[in-house]
């Protein structure tokens, strides 16, 4: 019986929470988890034939689970594999913000990057996303996934939430997708049920309050906090929101949802929260609430002093040809590695670099070696790449996988120099075509190991 796989304390509590829906909840756990992906609007249009996730523009369900690792398009950043309920972030974000404005957005608990890749498709080009992950190894995966996504108005940081107090009132929006007890993932990951305990729920709730309290000063007056978990219990959800309301001056934001979506709206005069149950939606368990900060918050002063070093004019002129809209970018040279990001965000990025541990700022573009430029992988994946400047080598799936495994490729084109490996019209990375061999430049630490 599936119920045997749930912890007893969890069953008691959920039976009380769900009442006569309990049997449907149990039955849903006997069904396979739905499979969903979200397309990168900058790299692909949405296929017509697939069933859409109703609360997001670019999310679709797949009828079966392919091996994503063995799909070159996945490595080109064409789509992100994401559980459907989490895509509801789009409603919380778009309904609570003026998207025509330049926003500073923080995704505080961001790895592996589901919410961050989504946010990058929602904010405008003048906005900046700071995507943070406290665990170093996870921050590296986050950085990889964001480079694949290909946008340059993003900074990846590896900091504890309290470090953001160095940036008071800096953010218009903070997303806290909190580490939680994971009750909503029992179907997808049965191991989560073995690790569950009442004590762990209490521990998670306490940690979530600490995270919220620590990051609170970084949100500006009138700014939006989006809080989410993938768990059902009230301790980590409603009670934490009530605690925030007691500690700080906040206003709950009500979201419009369609009845057919099956989401459970918890709406009282002082509280709006939205809960996702797997027997009511085509997705896993999830909770989300949106709040506006009303506290008076002094703000960081963005300095105009330039701490970044630009490359020489000669190098800059050459690099300017490698990207589109080069006049809107700033090129930065740090230890002979050139990065670019939107010009308008220079001051903000400087402030972040001065105060936080930055893993990635914008797009890695090229390394300077003896006055020569070697293109970086980030540039190949960038939606700003000027493809016309490079030779391209289209590969079929089997060879594309060889390339992604960093194996040698036998095909040697006539034209020498750096070339882009393409799969179905999207770049996968670089090769250097030499006299009688081809140098595979795919980053070793990213190469796929699955056979
Ligand atoms: N937002 C991510 C996404 O959509 O792909 C998933 C985030 S996951 C639910 C929570 C993240 O919080 C994990 O990456 C975890 O490493 C991080 N985390 C764990 N402890 C934390 C803490 N004390 N403060 C901040 N983040 C923490």
């Amino acid at each position: 019986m599936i119920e045997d796989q749930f912890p007893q304390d969890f069953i008691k509590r959920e039976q009380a929470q769900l009442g006569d829906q309990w049997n449907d909840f149990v039955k849903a756990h006997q069904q396979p988890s739905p499979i969903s992906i979200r397309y990168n609007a900058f790299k692909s249009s949405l296929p017509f034939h697939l069933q859409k996730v109703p609360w997001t523009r670019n999310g679709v369900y797949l009828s079966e689970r392919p091996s994503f690792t063995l799909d070159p398009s996945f490595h080109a950043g064409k789509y992100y594999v994401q559980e459907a309920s989490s895509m509801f972030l789009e409603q919380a974000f778009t309904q609570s913000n003026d998207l025509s404005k330049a926003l500073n957005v923080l995704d505080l608990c961001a790895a592996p990057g589901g919410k961050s890749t989504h946010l990058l498709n929602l904010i405008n080009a003048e906005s900046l996303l700071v995507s943070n992950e406290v665990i170093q190894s996870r921050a590296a995966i986050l950085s990889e996934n964001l480079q694949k996504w290909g946008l340059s108005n993003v900074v990846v940081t590896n900091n504890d939430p309290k470090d953001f107090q160095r940036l008071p009132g800096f953010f218009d929006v903070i997303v806290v997708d909190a580490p939680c007890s994971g009750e909503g993932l029992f179907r997808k990951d049965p191991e989560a049920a073995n690790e569950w305990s009442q004590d762990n729920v209490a521990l998670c709730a306490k940690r979530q309050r600490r995270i919220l309290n620590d990051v609170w000063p970084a949100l500006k007056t009138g700014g939006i906090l989006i809080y989410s978990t993938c768990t059902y219990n009230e301790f980590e959800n409603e009670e934490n929101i009530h605690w925030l309301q007691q500690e700080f001056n906040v206003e709950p934001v009500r979201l419009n949802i369609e009845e057919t979506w099956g989401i459970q709206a918890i709406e009282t005069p002082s509280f709006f929260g939205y809960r996702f149950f797997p027997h009511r939606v085509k997705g896993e368990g999830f909770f989300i609430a949106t709040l506006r900060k009303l506290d008076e918050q002094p703000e960081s002063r963005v300095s105009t002093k330039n701490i970044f070093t630009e490359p020489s004019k000669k190098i800059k002129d050459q690099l300017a040809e490698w990207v589109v809209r080069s006049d809107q970018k700033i090129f930065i040279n740090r230890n002979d590695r050139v990065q670019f990001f939107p010009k308008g965000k220079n001051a903000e990025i400087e402030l972040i670099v001065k105060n936080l541990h930055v893993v990635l700022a914008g797009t890695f573009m090229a390394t300077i070696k003896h006055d020569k430029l070697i293109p970086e992988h980030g540039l190949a994946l960038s939606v700003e790449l000027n493809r016309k400047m490079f030779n391209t080598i289209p590969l079929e799936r089997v060879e594309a996988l060889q390339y992604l495994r960093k194996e040698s490729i036998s095909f040697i084109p006539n034209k020498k120099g750096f070339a882009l490996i393409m799969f179905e019209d999207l770049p996968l990375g670089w090769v250097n075509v030499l006299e009688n061999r081809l140098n595979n430049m795919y980053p070793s630490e990213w190469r796929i190991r699955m056979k």
Side-chain angles (χ1 to χ4, degrees):
M1 260 220 339
I2 193 88
E3 277 169 280
D4 296 342
Q5 292 164 20
F6 293 150
Q8 281 308 311
D9 287 341
F10 171 78
I11 293 179
K12 244 187 272 160
R13 204 201 56 223
E14 271 321 296
Q15 280 176 335
Q17 190 183 46
L18 284 164
D20 58 10
Q21 292 182 45
W22 169 252
N23 284 338
D24 290 339
F25 177 79
V26 173
K27 269 192 219 147
H29 283 77
Q30 291 160 335
Q31 303 300 318
S33 291
I35 299 143
S36 46
I37 60 174
R38 190 172 33 72
Y39 278 89
N40 184 349
F42 291 95
K43 294 199 176 189
S44 172
S45 50
L46 205 62
F48 288 116
H49 63 285
L50 297 172
Q51 187 196 354
K52 282 195 69 184
V53 176
W55 41 82
T56 181
R57 271 173 87 141
N58 293 314
V60 291
Y61 294 103
L62 303 182
S63 51
E64 54 187 38
R65 191 179 183 88
S67 169
F68 293 114
T69 309
L70 298 182
D71 177 11
S73 298
F74 170 69
H75 302 276
K78 183 173 178 175
Y79 61 86
Y80 190 90
V81 184
Q82 189 181 29
E83 186 286 301
S85 303
S86 315
M87 298 183 197
F88 187 78
L89 171 72
E90 181 164 323
Q91 295 299 325
F93 187 82
T94 56
Q95 290 189 36
S96 61
N97 289 290
D98 178 352
L99 301 179
S100 65
K101 284 199 175 147
L103 301 171
N104 289 337
V105 180
L106 170 63
D107 184 6
L108 183 66
C109 311
K115 309 276 181 315
S116 283
T117 51
H118 200 168
L119 288 164
L120 281 168
N121 280 185
L122 301 176
I123 59 178
N124 60 32
E126 287 73 45
S127 298
L128 180 72
L129 174 70
V130 178
S131 181
N132 178 70
E133 169 57 43
V134 68
I135 299 172
Q136 197 182 7
S137 56
R138 290 177 62 83
I141 295 163
L142 176 65
S143 170
E144 177 179 335
N145 286 334
L146 290 178
Q147 287 183 67
K148 285 179 178 163
W149 211 245
L151 279 293
S152 68
N153 53 341
V154 63
V155 177
V156 177
T157 56
N158 172 215
N159 280 87
D160 188 273
K162 68 174 178 319
D163 298 342
F164 286 87
Q165 291 176 12
R166 298 175 203 146
L167 300 178
F170 182 76
F171 293 102
D172 299 277
V173 185
I174 297 182
V175 176
V176 176
D177 187 30
C180 71
S181 60
E183 295 162 2
L185 301 179
F186 284 2
R187 171 167 67 175
K188 211 169 129 194
D189 173 19
E191 202 34 50
N194 296 335
E195 283 164 20
W196 185 95
S197 72
Q198 202 73 271
D199 284 350
N200 191 37
V201 168
L203 214 81
C204 287
K206 213 169 137 195
R207 181 168 57 196
Q208 289 147 357
R209 286 184 191 191
R210 194 177 68 231
I211 292 172
L212 289 168
N213 186 63
D214 284 351
V215 81
W216 192 250
L219 187 61
K220 65 172 62 154
T221 307
I224 293 289
L225 172 81
I226 300 177
Y227 175 78
S228 62
T229 69
C230 53
T231 212
Y232 306 112
N233 71 73
E234 298 193 351
F235 309 105
E236 297 176 68
N237 296 323
E238 285 92 327
E239 289 198 7
N240 276 349
I241 301 297
H242 285 142
W243 169 83
L244 257 177
Q245 289 176 315
Q246 280 163 6
E247 292 293 307
F248 305 108
N249 191 2
V250 292
E251 174 188 78
V253 178
R254 188 172 178 276
L255 303 177
N256 295 316
I257 54 170
E258 292 194 18
E259 201 152 333
T260 51
W261 292 353
I263 299 162
Q264 187 197 49
I266 315 149
E267 296 184 342
T268 70
S270 63
F271 181 90
F272 304 121
Y274 302 87
R275 196 178 256 112
F276 296 64
F277 286 109
H279 61 286
R280 295 180 50 142
V281 301
K282 197 167 172 184
E284 304 301 342
F286 187 60
F287 172 89
I288 194 163
T290 308
L291 300 151
R292 189 181 305 280
K293 175 170 174 172
L294 302 178
D295 296 310
E296 276 305 316
Q297 177 64 61
E299 294 187 10
S300 325
R301 285 231 321 271
V302 178
S303 119
T304 46
K305 211 170 128 231
N306 198 343
I307 59 161
F308 292 133
T309 317
E310 291 192 63
S312 67
K313 183 171 179 320
K314 186 177 148 213
I315 298 251
K316 222 163 78 180
D317 287 349
Q318 194 181 336
L319 287 177
E321 295 192 328
W322 285 9
V323 286
V324 294
R325 293 178 292 273
S326 61
D327 56 323
Q328 292 163 29
K329 297 178 179 41
I330 176 149
F331 300 96
I332 300 302
N333 179 3
R334 292 177 90 189
N335 305 323
D336 281 345
R337 254 186 122 182
V338 183
Q339 291 156 270
F340 73 81
F341 43 75
K343 214 176 223 167
K345 287 290 138 192
N346 193 11
E348 281 85 352
I349 294 181
E350 271 192 29
L351 189 72
I352 295 162
V353 168
K354 272 190 207 159
N355 286 288
L356 298 169
H357 179 219
V358 171
V359 178
L360 172 79
T363 300
F364 281 123
M365 190 176 186
T367 307
I368 309 170
K369 236 184 190 167
H370 313 301
D371 239 17
K372 270 194 158 164
L373 287 173
I374 300 164
E376 291 246 7
H377 193 62
L379 178 68
L381 299 173
S382 170
V383 300
E384 313 268 359
L385 169 73
N386 185 7
R387 287 191 208 172
K388 283 191 238 137
M389 290 302 293
F390 300 95
N391 295 323
T392 53
I393 305 175
L395 293 184
E396 296 294 325
R397 201 180 115 91
V398 172
E399 287 108 13
L401 286 171
Q402 273 171 0
Y403 173 74
L404 293 167
R405 291 190 178 106
K406 210 170 163 57
E407 290 168 1
S408 55
I409 294 160
S410 48
F411 168 72
I412 302 175
N414 293 330
K415 243 178 156 174
K416 307 278 166 292
F418 299 113
L420 280 169
I421 293 289
M422 308 290 293
F423 179 73
E424 292 176 355
D425 203 37
L426 283 180
L428 288 179
W430 301 104
V431 289
N432 191 7
V433 184
L434 303 169
E435 197 54 48
N436 45 18
R437 72 190 163 92
L438 198 144
N439 211 351
N440 185 338
M441 293 168 68
Y442 198 72
S444 305
E445 63 283 10
W446 290 19
R447 74 178 194 278
I448 57 176
R449 291 173 172 86
M450 188 189 268
K451 287 292 161 195

